[in-house]
Amino acid sequence: MITLPAQMLVQARLQSHALEDPAAATSAQLEAGLHALEGNGCRVAVAVGSRGIDRLPLVVRAVVDWLRGRGAQPFLVPAMGSHGGATAEGQADVLATLGVTEDSAGAPIRPSMDVVELGRTVDGVPVFTAREAREADGVVLINRVKPHTDFESPRLGSGLTKMCAIGLGKFDGAATCHRAAQSLGYERAIVEAARVVRARLPLWGCVALVEDGHHRLANVEAFPAARIDEREPVLLAQARAWMPSLPFDDIDVLVVDEIGKNISGAGMDTNVIGRGVDGRPFASTTARARAIYARSLTPESHGNAIGLGLADVVSTRLVAAMDRRVTYTNALSALTPSTARIPLQFDTDAECIGAAARLAGVDPAKARVVRIRSTLALDRFVASEAFAREVDGRPELSVLAPPRPWPLTPEGDFDAAGDLLAAAAPA
């Protein structure tokens, strides 16, 4: 049996900015930012994406209620590109997994994958959008703003502009925009496609969401679509400032308990792990691991295992949970085949960590190992005792449980009876 270094449970003191009443905050923002809108019986498409955003059902319901209070007839449109296996049923299922249903929202869901071509960009790229959105009298976008996982930019991330260009475009729009990005670059392709959408779709307004380091909804801002270019870079800077990072710069093995589409568009947030979707280092990320072991896939991903290719080693249970059709559909749409490639896989945690340590070029018993629940959960983590001095020297880190042997079952898996991370409730 492999010998692993003693583990300790560490807490990172991340600032909390969580909203006490997200629904009330959303309603207040809508009243302040979109007060000039009048529904007058208009059919309004409320665009909702596929991310696991904190308090998303509450925000969606608040938007629906506010629109209905203005005399509108709101309905939901999944704005998630090719996610959900690029089927109407799959996209509705993704929303349900996020807690957004017709009952929770108080409005019907129109998940059709039908699209219409709105026109072409200045580069000649066709731009598509959901037929349901095009035929509505108005459209309201709801999305989280955060740094993108495919590219680095100070003014454009994953948010409202991307939802216009890719999310609302369903499979055809997402595939076309990603294909254009291969020659034009992500930022230009997305910005130009979004410009066409904003010019030809009746966009009434936006509800932008920003989360803090605890993955709690911390800011809601509603504004007319005409202000996207002004407000999105500001919100992106706020999201980047609140975004946590790996606790140490020099890590031999990073163990990630869960990856999934509800966690990040890339399965694991590339801004956290320091690897882009092409496997190359992200320039702005200093903390990196020599080898990454991904243990499991979230149920909310519905088999979409995009991102497993960012790891060096995965468990066989993660591979068994993978729906290849769904995963490959996403990878083909995004033109990121490396994120769907299956890396080395082994049956047990011990074998996987041993392989990762070997790839990192270290003795497993002396490896500098960090284990996190996911790239969204960096408030509490397990670290090997080799990090003890570094933890002692940093006031924002504290040891919740001192070093103890890493518990393994006779079969070689983490033993739930002594699993510090599994037993630790989120801070």
Side-chain angles (χ1 to χ4, degrees):
M1 178 70 72
I2 187 175
T3 299
L4 297 178
Q7 61 168 349
M8 56 185 178
L9 182 64
V10 182
Q11 176 170 299
R13 283 187 285 278
L14 306 175
Q15 281 194 326
S16 175
H17 304 276
L19 295 172
E20 290 186 7
D21 191 340
T26 301
S27 299
Q29 275 292 311
L30 289 165
E31 199 63 35
L34 300 177
H35 57 84
L37 295 181
E38 291 295 338
N40 298 324
C42 293
R43 296 178 65 255
V44 180
V46 179
V48 185
S50 57
R51 298 293 178 258
I53 302 169
D54 182 46
R55 311 300 178 89
L56 180 61
L58 294 179
V59 172
V60 172
R61 182 58 184 252
V63 172
V64 167
D65 287 348
W66 186 85
L67 286 169
R68 188 168 285 118
R70 290 269 167 169
Q73 300 174 28
F75 61 95
L76 306 189
V77 172
M80 55 184 76
S82 65
H83 301 174
T87 68
E89 296 79 9
Q91 297 209 337
D93 286 344
V94 170
L95 285 185
T97 300
L98 300 176
V100 178
T101 64
E102 293 189 348
D103 286 342
S104 75
I109 297 175
R110 308 289 188 222
S112 170
M113 296 298 292
D114 290 346
V115 296
V116 294
E117 183 176 335
L118 293 177
R120 292 179 177 258
T121 70
V122 293
D123 300 299
V125 178
V127 178
F128 300 91
T129 201
R131 183 180 297 277
E132 291 284 1
R134 182 67 181 90
E135 294 179 352
D137 298 307
V139 179
V140 173
L141 309 178
I142 301 176
N143 205 14
R144 177 175 60 198
V145 176
K146 67 187 292 288
H148 204 283
T149 56
D150 291 0
F151 62 89
E152 297 176 280
S153 167
R155 70 188 187 98
L156 178 66
S158 179
L160 302 165
T161 302
K162 182 190 173 189
M163 178 175 271
C164 285
I166 295 177
L168 276 173
K170 301 289 185 173
F171 177 82
D172 295 315
T176 303
C177 193
H178 281 110
R179 190 159 51 244
Q182 301 302 298
S183 58
L184 301 173
Y186 277 103
E187 190 164 344
R188 181 179 177 90
I190 292 172
V191 167
E192 292 302 329
R195 185 169 288 131
V196 174
V197 172
R198 289 164 56 184
R200 303 187 182 181
L201 200 66
L203 283 178
W204 279 15
C206 311
V207 178
L209 312 174
V210 180
E211 294 175 335
D212 65 13
H214 294 279
H215 179 44
R216 300 297 303 277
L217 184 57
N219 187 19
V220 178
E221 188 170 322
F223 46 85
R227 297 188 66 198
I228 289 179
D229 290 342
E230 169 198 351
R231 294 306 306 159
E232 188 157 27
V234 176
L235 295 168
L236 178 61
Q238 183 179 61
R240 185 175 284 111
W242 285 346
M243 190 173 190
S245 61
L246 289 176
F248 311 108
D249 290 345
D250 185 19
I251 299 171
D252 291 326
V253 177
L254 174 66
V255 180
V256 184
D257 276 7
E258 287 188 315
I259 69 170
K261 290 298 291 187
N262 60 313
I263 292 170
S264 170
M268 293 184 281
D269 197 315
T270 56
N271 297 281
V272 172
I273 65 174
R275 295 182 182 182
V277 292
D278 57 1
R280 298 175 183 175
F282 256 21
S284 62
T285 307
T286 58
R288 294 189 179 91
R290 294 181 178 85
I292 297 176
Y293 162 39
R295 297 185 65 217
S296 65
L297 182 66
T298 62
E300 294 87 348
S301 293
H302 292 273
N304 190 337
I306 206 83
L308 84 167
L310 298 177
D312 302 287
V313 181
V314 297
S315 67
T316 53
R317 61 182 171 273
L318 191 159
V319 177
M322 175 184 181
D323 183 321
R324 300 198 184 203
R325 183 188 64 80
V326 169
T327 305
Y328 293 167
T329 296
N330 192 174
L332 287 170
S333 171
L335 296 179
T336 54
S338 61
T339 60
R341 290 173 181 153
I342 300 175
L344 297 174
Q345 59 173 300
F346 299 93
D347 292 337
T348 68
D349 290 313
E351 290 176 292
C352 289
I353 291 184
R358 185 167 183 175
L359 292 174
V362 296
D363 178 352
K366 300 177 181 178
R368 293 165 62 86
V369 181
V370 171
R371 179 181 164 210
I372 60 176
R373 298 190 298 274
S374 75
T375 53
L376 278 180
L378 300 179
D379 52 347
R380 294 187 180 186
F381 57 90
V382 163
S384 59
E385 61 182 341
F387 291 107
R389 285 189 178 182
E390 293 179 56
V391 172
D392 288 342
R394 292 172 57 179
E396 77 276 15
L397 300 179
S398 58
V399 176
L400 298 181
R404 65 184 65 176
W406 203 308
L408 293 173
T409 65
E411 293 75 26
D413 286 316
F414 295 160
D415 191 340
D419 191 334
L420 291 176
L421 192 59

